[in-house]
Every structure is written in structure tokens, then in C-alpha cells.
Amino acid sequence: TSSDVLLLQMGWGDLGAFGEPSKETPNLDQMAAEGMLFLDFYTANPLCSPSRAALLTGRLPVRNGFYTTNGHARNAYTPQDIVGGIPDSELLLPELLKKAGYVNKIIGKWHLGHRPQFHPLKHGFDEWFGSPNCHFGPYDNRERPNIPVYRDWEMIGRYYEDFKIDLKTGEANLTQLYLQEALDFISKQQASQKPFFLYWAIDATHAPVYASKQFLGTSQRGLYGDAVREIDDSVGKILNHLQQLGISKDTFVFFTSDNGAALISAPTQGGSNGPFLCGKQTTFEGGMREPAIAWWPGHIPAGGVSHQLSNVMDLFSTSLSLAGLQPPSDRQIDGIDLLPVMLQGKLIDRPIFYYRGNELMAVRAGLYKAHYWTWSNSQEEHSKGIDFCPGQSVSGVTTHTQEEHTYLPLLFHLGRDPGEKFPLSFASEEYQRAVENISGLVQQHKATLVPGQPQLNVCDQAVMNWSPPGCEKLGKCLKAPESDPKKCSWPH
């Protein structure tokens, strides 16, 4: 069985199947009708890099090193000047799938470190078309370089120079390039009869949002909606391609996101997190609960809806199970195999851990979610207009100082109150029962927790994308400044 994981940045409320009113995602809605919708699916972190590291290792970021200890409960990712990246000691899904003869390709954003030792082809992927970072820029190539786009081992150009993104109109052809790469890769593997793993990690809905010409101005939701429509169209073409090649029954496809929609760029460049509180950067439901659809015709019954508590790390364990492989036994794996859920409709009892940096912020068990810490962002940042919860303020919950609730966690019943607006009374029997249960899970979790070496602590201008491999051939090498390692600053 081949498998595709389609990962991008979108909110729970961005798909028609999840209730988005403009109904502009017909292909994803059709995918849901033909497959299974997961309503309680989570990412591993409210930010991009750590959640991608979690997906590919099956491990929480605090274990795989994708966190910082520079400040308490800070979100950290891999900007150009980061020194760290995915450690060699971590075993990535494509490395393990190779043992079963899989050919592995990543299309789009890698985001697990850009220095040579972190290159995806050194960590199990056979092919890469995309970039180590997001499409930020344009930069002046003196203070900071424009971000490279790679084909396999070498860069083939840079964003804004060779891969145009018009920031005025939002026009860019990148999603079409990424789509064509996916279709070509699938055709090639089908012709050679090789099982494959395709990780399609596009970033059109990440600010600055972009779409190609034929989609610009076609959505009721502005530029963000245009980008969503193009992604929806691309997913439809990928699924259709699998069907035309006659391999859809042998290909498991999963669509999800790496974090909740970013509301800081809303409303013009932000998505919707449906009924949930806040967005990207926070451990409220809007930052961590994701749209998720599993599709495998002939195996997953059509029209299924699951309330299984699940997360991106489960895709690691599930993909290994599909390939007939066991997860590594020498380390703690946080993912579970979802095949019994998808094929037999089972429900597996397990908690969800919500981390922000080095801190366990909240835990969900069943329909109850206990917050041990609350924090949206600092008052100082908030007063500058940086708002992760625009239009939403819940007194004592969306706090602007880091508030500890370790001894009396704030408890919500997500069935009755998905928006986390009404904490349960501390005095109630319901509160005491649920918190006792969750406290036991936390103790168990902390007893086995061996934090990884933090990778997101040190930044250095000299390690930016000045002279990536292949730059000589293109005449695109830039002179790096003197090395000057510093502690990275992580305000959120």
C-alpha cells in the first residue's frame, strides 16, 4: 500500500465538510464523503516546524528536540538563522519505510532545519521539490538571503527571484508546480510498480497568501479563499489521478494541517477555526484541532465520521502499519495505529497532550480538557496589535500573562462547550472526577518523559541560506557574514 500525506496550514472551519458556509471545497468535501472525517484530530504543536517534526518521527516535539528552553512555554520554529534541526538520532517515517522498499518524496515545505546535515535526502527522502522554509521575503540578499527552492540535493533558484510571488496581487504559480510534481511522481511510481510515500506539504495558505492566476478573485473569502480553492482543486486532481491509474484501492491518503488557522493575519489572510477558541500559536482548540480526512476506497467505508482522539503523530504509526512494519521499540512513540479506527470503527482510549515549547499546557481525555497553564500572548505584544484571539476574549482563560493552574486546572467539557468559554465549577463532583482521571494521565506521562536536546535555542546569521548546494552552478552564492551565535528570541 502506498500512502500520501497532504499537509498544509488550514483551520478546522475552512472546509465545507466541517461547516464552512461558502462551500468552496467540493473536492475535499467529496473526499470526506468517500472516506472518513475525523472531528477530534489534533496537531502536536500550535506552530509549523515542531508539528512537522512530530508527524515524521511519531514523537512529541519535546522528545524529538523541536522546542526551546530560552523562555518558558515559548513557541519556536526554524527561521533562516536557526542553528538546529532534526537530530540524526531521530528515525523519520521515510527512513523506516525504505526497509519495505518504499520510494519517498517530499513536495513543498520541509521546515526541519536547512543546514546540510538536516537535508531531507539525508533523512530518508529520495526526492525533494520545494523549500526548507516558508516563502517569506523578498529579502535584499545582504541582510538576509531569499529562500532557496530545491530539486533533490541542490537549489534550482530562490523565491521572488526565480519563483515569482507578487505580493501586491497575491499571484504565484507555486501550487500548480507542486501539483504537477505530485502527479508526475505518482505516475512514475505506478509505472515502476514501487510502493511510495508522498508528503505533499504546500504552503499557499501561509501568509503572505498566494494563488495562481486562474483562481485569483474566485472566492467569496478573498485571497485566502482563492488559495483554499486552488488547494482543493489540486487535491481533487491527485485523487482523480490515483483513480485513473487504477491504484486508488492500493493508496491510503490523509489530508490535514500542521496548526490551526493563523488569526494574526485575519481577516484578509487568515482562515477559520470554526467554533473553537483562538488560533495558531495557542494551545486552545483553535490552535491545535485540525481538519482531517482519511481516504482509501474499498477499505475505509465511505461517509464515516470518527470521534477518535487522534493526532498527526498517529500518521507515523498508521503508515508503518500499512507497510507491514513495527514502530521502533527503542524509544517512546506517541502515535497510535489508526487502522482499527478506520477499518472497524473502533475507539481507542488515549489522551491528547497540548504542549507549547517545553511546557505541558493542557490535556484532553474523553470530552474533558484540563488547562494547567493559560496564555495567549504577552500584554506588550498584544498592545502592538499582535492578537492570536481576535474578537474572542474569555476572562481568566485567554490570559496575557502566563497563568499557572497546576493545582486547580481550568476544566472544560468540549462536548457542551467546544469554544472553551465556560470553565466547570471547581466544587462540582464532575470537576473532581474528571481532574482526578486527567491528573493520573499527566503523572504517567511525566514519569516516562525524557526531553530531547532542544534544537531551537541558538540563532546565527552565518547559517542562513547564503550558499546552499547548487548555488555555484546558478551564480547564486552569497557571502555569509561572520558567525555570531546568539540565543534566539522567542516572544510567543
Side-chain angles (χ1 to χ4, degrees):
T1 305
S2 299
S3 62
D4 290 350
V5 172
L6 314 174
L7 183 78
L8 50 150
Q9 181 173 325
M10 273 166 81
W12 196 90
D14 279 333
L15 306 190
F18 286 85
E20 202 288 312
S22 62
K23 295 278 184 283
E24 292 179 346
T25 53
N27 295 290
L28 285 161
D29 299 350
Q30 178 72 19
M31 182 185 181
E34 292 171 7
M36 179 174 271
L37 209 54
F38 281 83
L39 297 180
D40 297 79
F41 190 91
Y42 290 87
T43 181
N45 190 269
L47 213 60
C48 34
S49 310
S51 55
R52 288 160 195 268
L55 181 144
L56 290 172
T57 60
R59 286 152 58 77
L60 283 162
V62 71
R63 296 192 214 272
N64 65 36
F66 264 68
Y67 70 105
T68 181
T69 52
N70 287 358
H72 175 248
R74 303 290 163 155
N75 289 319
Y77 64 106
T78 52
Q80 281 205 66
D81 52 354
I82 199 80
V83 169
I86 193 70
D88 281 343
S89 56
E90 290 298 319
L91 286 170
L92 272 61
L93 177 58
E95 289 175 74
L96 297 164
L97 289 174
K98 263 190 179 354
K99 294 177 183 165
Y102 275 66
V103 180
N104 308 303
K105 178 159 189 158
I106 169 172
I107 297 173
K109 183 167 89 166
W110 165 240
H111 230 200
L112 301 193
H114 57 270
R115 294 168 68 208
Q117 66 267 42
F118 306 128
H119 193 293
L121 271 58
K122 285 195 175 164
H123 293 270
F125 283 102
D126 301 295
E127 297 181 21
W128 181 23
F129 177 75
S131 172
N133 298 73
C134 235
H135 54 281
F136 294 132
Y139 299 119
D140 61 5
N141 284 343
R142 289 185 302 278
E143 286 293 306
R144 49 187 50 224
N146 278 321
I147 289 163
V149 175
Y150 280 78
R151 174 163 305 284
D152 301 333
W153 286 108
E154 297 189 338
M155 74 176 280
I156 52 170
R158 292 182 188 268
Y159 284 140
Y160 297 95
E161 297 168 24
D162 314 278
F163 293 86
K164 301 281 187 259
I165 303 166
D166 186 325
L167 292 182
K168 282 199 186 75
T169 63
E171 186 182 340
N173 203 34
L174 292 168
T175 303
Q176 292 305 307
L177 295 179
Y178 293 148
L179 168 61
Q180 200 51 52
E181 283 289 321
L183 301 177
D184 292 348
F185 174 72
I186 292 166
S187 296
K188 192 169 79 180
Q189 300 322 313
Q190 191 266 342
S192 68
Q193 300 287 294
K194 287 258 180 84
F196 63 86
F197 168 57
L198 170 61
Y199 176 42
W200 198 64
I202 59 169
D203 66 354
T205 49
H206 192 298
V209 172
Y210 62 78
S212 58
K213 194 166 195 152
Q214 72 260 40
F215 289 93
L216 283 180
T218 63
S219 164
Q220 294 179 45
R221 306 179 63 200
L223 180 57
Y224 182 88
D226 298 342
V228 169
R229 289 201 63 225
E230 183 167 15
I231 288 163
D232 176 75
D233 181 76
S234 301
V235 172
K237 289 192 165 94
I238 290 170
L239 300 184
N240 193 33
H241 193 56
L242 293 169
Q243 282 166 322
Q244 284 179 334
L245 292 173
I247 56 171
S248 59
K249 287 199 162 84
D250 304 314
T251 310
F252 170 76
V253 185
F254 202 94
F255 174 91
T256 189
S257 174
D258 59 350
N259 43 246
L263 302 182
I264 185 172
S265 49
T268 52
Q269 301 216 350
S272 162
N273 295 314
F276 302 121
L277 187 61
C278 301
K280 179 178 174 175
Q281 301 262 14
T282 76
T283 48
F284 300 111
E285 291 297 286
M288 300 271 292
R289 206 190 291 207
E290 307 307 329
I293 304 168
W295 185 87
W296 189 17
H299 301 271
I300 295 174
V305 174
S306 178
H307 283 284
Q308 172 65 45
L309 294 195
S310 38
N311 67 47
V312 291
M313 296 174 287
D314 300 342
L315 298 176
F316 174 89
S317 303
T318 306
S319 299
L320 291 177
S321 175
L322 284 163
L325 299 169
Q326 291 294 320
S329 55
D330 64 341
R331 62 200 62 208
Q332 183 78 37
I333 300 295
D334 295 292
I336 62 170
D337 178 5
L338 294 176
L339 284 186
V341 175
M342 297 185 284
L343 305 182
Q344 293 136 37
K346 290 206 165 137
L347 281 176
I348 300 161
D349 188 25
R350 63 90 74 88
I352 294 290
F353 297 108
Y354 302 70
Y355 270 88
R356 184 162 171 168
N358 55 352
E359 186 60 76
L360 179 61
M361 302 287 284
V363 178
R364 177 175 173 185
L367 286 167
Y368 293 102
K369 179 179 178 184
H371 288 266
Y372 290 91
W373 287 87
T374 52
W375 190 40
S376 62
N377 63 338
S378 70
Q379 194 58 58
E380 184 195 0
E381 293 277 305
H382 190 252
S383 61
K384 288 182 198 159
I386 297 169
D387 193 351
F388 303 141
C389 314
Q392 296 177 309
S393 173
V394 182
S395 175
V397 179
T398 54
T399 52
H400 293 298
T401 48
Q402 294 186 351
E403 297 290 333
E404 185 172 4
H405 310 278
T406 310
Y407 300 106
L408 266 185
L410 289 186
L411 185 73
F412 295 94
H413 185 288
L414 295 178
R416 303 194 295 260
D417 175 26
E420 295 169 283
K421 291 183 173 62
F422 307 103
L424 271 70
S425 157
F426 297 138
S428 68
E429 198 184 317
E430 184 184 10
Y431 176 92
Q432 283 154 5
R433 225 181 20 248
V435 166
E436 195 177 332
N437 175 38
I438 293 176
S439 299
L441 296 169
V442 171
Q443 276 170 337
Q444 231 173 323
H445 170 68
K446 290 195 165 167
T448 67
L449 186 68
V450 181
Q453 192 67 36
Q455 295 295 311
L456 308 181
N457 280 353
V458 182
C459 288
D460 185 352
Q461 278 180 301
V463 306
M464 288 201 269
N465 294 291
W466 301 106
S467 297
C471 67
E472 312 80 13
K473 291 180 194 168
L474 302 172
K476 293 243 172 213
C477 302
L478 302 166
K479 190 176 175 343
E482 289 290 300
S483 177
D484 181 21
K486 290 188 166 75
K487 261 188 167 189
C488 307
S489 159
W490 300 113
H492 311 305

